[in-house]
Amino acid sequence: MILLQLLSATFGLYMLYWSFLVYKKRLIYIRELVFWAVVWVVFIGVSLLPDSTKLVLQTFKITRTMDLLMILSFMVLWLVAYRNYSDNRKIKRKLQDLVRQDAIKRAMEKKKK
Amino acid sequence: MKKIFVVIPAYNEEKRLPELIKKLRTYIPLSRMVVVDDGSKIKLENFLSKRVWVARHRVNLGKGIALRTGCDLAVKLGAETIILMDGDGQHDPGELPAFIKKLNHGYQVVFGARRLDKKMPVWRKWGNGFLNRTVAVLFGLNLCDVWCGYRAFRTNIYKKIIWDSSDYSSDVEMAVAVGLNKLKHTEHFVGTIYHDKESTTGTTLHDGLKLLIDLLFWRVQKI
């Protein structure tokens, strides 16, 4: 169990470091860094101290800490998936508008020449 | 006579498009033709007269988006009537006067409808039949060939029928908008030239299934 806990904590630490790197490259905003930092700190905390979730487990009638982690993971995954989907749609729409406007503009300019 | 423009979306049609333009010249001046080169590998303008309007997408965006670019350009150029044709030469330019005649009779939209002759591949006949019936049930629009890209409309209704689809389903979305807005429409039967039986540029079963989902979505959206 200790080995698995150590692995999880190392993974969490690495992800925390990665989030910081991504922020340093200005690919995410500070609020996003804070969100991910909280996610990974909680992950590390729960990995090292599984009993710390007792209160939450009792409140939500969840049997094991692992189950709680799975539920939270799915929630985060859905959030990220939806965010990716909506961002993709936004980028696609912007790209279409840009290419279309550019095509019309160049067609009209060519005729003027 | 209303200012008429023909809009032709095309992708890698350097072989068939010049022939189509040549045939079209009999019915409409070159300066009233708008070709949208949807990111072809070889620039289509190299094969066309300089008098034809060519709008080139830097990347391939799909037929629906190419049609919008073409229609937007035509409207900017003062078009009052737009005729849509496919760039692969499937549509006979000889039918053009019949479309214009029907518009002059007061119709706002004229849909082309391919005759169900022996030349049409069987799977297309079945697919089209099923699709036509689905559109009729969902939107009360009784068309013989809702997927035919050969059609004409007055530009004063363009904003009402504008479509979002980027692929072949834009033809159906446009027709659905005509039904929902109760625009005055009719059909004109056209002959179709099928170049190859296993064309990969046309619609596939996957497109058909995707379209069925879109139809249900549009129905729910417009309640």
Side-chain angles (χ1 to χ4, degrees):
Chain A
M1 190 65 192
I2 288 170
L3 183 67
L4 188 66
Q5 281 175 290
L6 276 175
L7 266 173
S8 300
T10 314
F11 173 72
L13 263 177
Y14 181 75
M15 293 308 289
L16 192 63
Y17 165 68
W18 195 2
S19 306
F20 184 68
L21 277 186
V22 172
Y23 170 70
K24 265 186 81 179
K25 287 179 188 168
R26 296 184 184 278
L27 294 173
I28 55 171
Y29 297 113
I30 183 83
R31 60 174 183 272
E32 287 167 302
L33 173 69
V34 170
F35 170 79
W36 286 111
V38 170
V39 167
W40 296 121
V41 167
V42 169
F43 181 83
I44 295 164
V46 172
S47 301
L48 296 175
L49 306 161
D51 291 340
S52 59
T53 58
K54 241 180 197 168
L55 188 67
V56 183
L57 293 179
Q58 278 167 0
T59 311
F60 293 102
K61 292 180 179 160
I62 299 168
T63 325
R64 299 174 305 171
T65 306
M66 193 64 185
D67 296 340
L68 175 70
L69 270 180
M70 291 296 278
I71 292 166
L72 290 176
S73 305
F74 271 111
M75 284 169 75
V76 172
L77 277 177
W78 278 111
L79 176 91
V80 174
Y82 179 73
R83 179 78 192 267
N84 280 341
Y85 170 76
S86 61
D87 279 358
N88 254 332
R89 298 278 297 194
K90 240 187 272 176
I91 292 167
K92 192 177 164 189
R93 186 65 63 93
K94 279 182 186 171
L95 179 76
Q96 284 175 352
D97 287 346
L98 198 73
V99 174
R100 290 178 60 241
Q101 281 163 15
D102 169 68
I104 293 173
K105 196 178 148 196
R106 282 186 300 130
M108 299 196 77
E109 278 172 1
K110 254 179 225 165
K111 281 278 172 169
K112 276 180 194 165
K113 285 175 192 172
Chain B
M1 196 167 117
K2 302 258 185 194
K3 213 170 173 186
I4 300 162
F5 275 77
V6 177
V7 171
I8 308 164
Y11 176 64
N12 290 340
E13 293 291 356
E14 66 275 4
K15 283 179 189 156
R16 290 172 186 155
L17 190 63
E19 188 62 29
L20 174 67
I21 299 290
K22 200 175 146 190
K23 286 183 192 164
L24 261 175
R25 278 185 75 172
T26 321
Y27 306 96
I28 208 143
L30 288 169
S31 57
R32 296 281 178 86
M33 297 179 200
V34 174
V35 170
V36 184
D37 177 354
D38 194 17
S40 300
K41 283 170 191 161
I42 310 168
K43 283 184 182 178
L44 293 179
E45 63 186 347
N46 298 341
F47 303 89
L48 303 172
S49 158
K50 290 224 181 318
R51 287 168 61 207
V52 175
W53 291 88
V54 182
R56 179 175 160 80
H57 286 168
R58 288 185 194 264
V59 286
N60 179 255
L61 294 177
K63 184 193 171 186
I65 303 297
L67 277 174
R68 274 185 63 183
T69 302
C71 291
D72 284 356
L73 179 57
V75 168
K76 271 194 175 192
L77 297 171
E80 290 171 88
T81 297
I82 291 177
I83 297 168
L84 308 176
M85 290 181 85
D86 285 353
D88 57 4
Q90 276 200 11
H91 301 142
D92 178 11
E95 308 277 2
L96 219 100
F99 276 87
I100 296 163
K101 200 175 165 188
K102 288 201 172 175
L103 284 174
N104 289 339
H105 278 128
Y107 291 105
Q108 292 167 299
V109 185
V110 181
F111 292 98
R114 291 164 290 186
R115 287 187 196 93
L116 293 173
D117 54 21
K118 284 176 185 171
K119 286 179 205 164
M120 186 185 255
V122 179
W123 65 270
R124 277 196 196 180
K125 268 186 209 173
W126 293 346
N128 276 6
F130 181 69
L131 180 68
N132 295 335
R133 273 191 287 278
T134 309
V135 170
V137 169
L138 290 177
F139 302 95
L141 191 75
N142 284 306
L143 293 176
C144 298
D145 188 4
V146 76
W147 214 325
C148 179
Y150 202 178
R151 49 187 65 176
F153 62 88
R154 296 283 191 220
T155 51
N156 57 2
I157 57 130
Y158 178 45
K159 279 191 178 162
K160 286 184 184 172
I161 61 165
I162 215 154
W163 49 96
D164 269 330
S165 311
S166 60
D167 52 15
Y168 282 84
S169 50
S170 57
D171 291 328
V172 183
E173 191 183 349
M174 196 193 306
V176 163
V178 169
L180 290 170
N181 286 293
K182 296 186 170 42
L183 300 173
K184 205 176 171 195
H185 64 274
T186 186
E187 279 185 295
H188 173 69
F189 282 95
V190 294
T192 306
I193 308 142
Y194 293 100
H195 298 292
D196 52 5
K197 281 183 181 173
E198 300 300 327
S199 171
T200 51
T201 55
T203 47
T204 60
L205 177 67
H206 177 74
D207 294 325
L209 292 173
K210 187 182 158 289
L211 183 59
L212 277 180
I213 295 167
D214 282 343
L215 282 171
L216 292 172
F217 177 72
W218 292 329
R219 182 63 274 176
V220 173
Q221 199 182 23
K222 309 285 181 185
I223 286 173

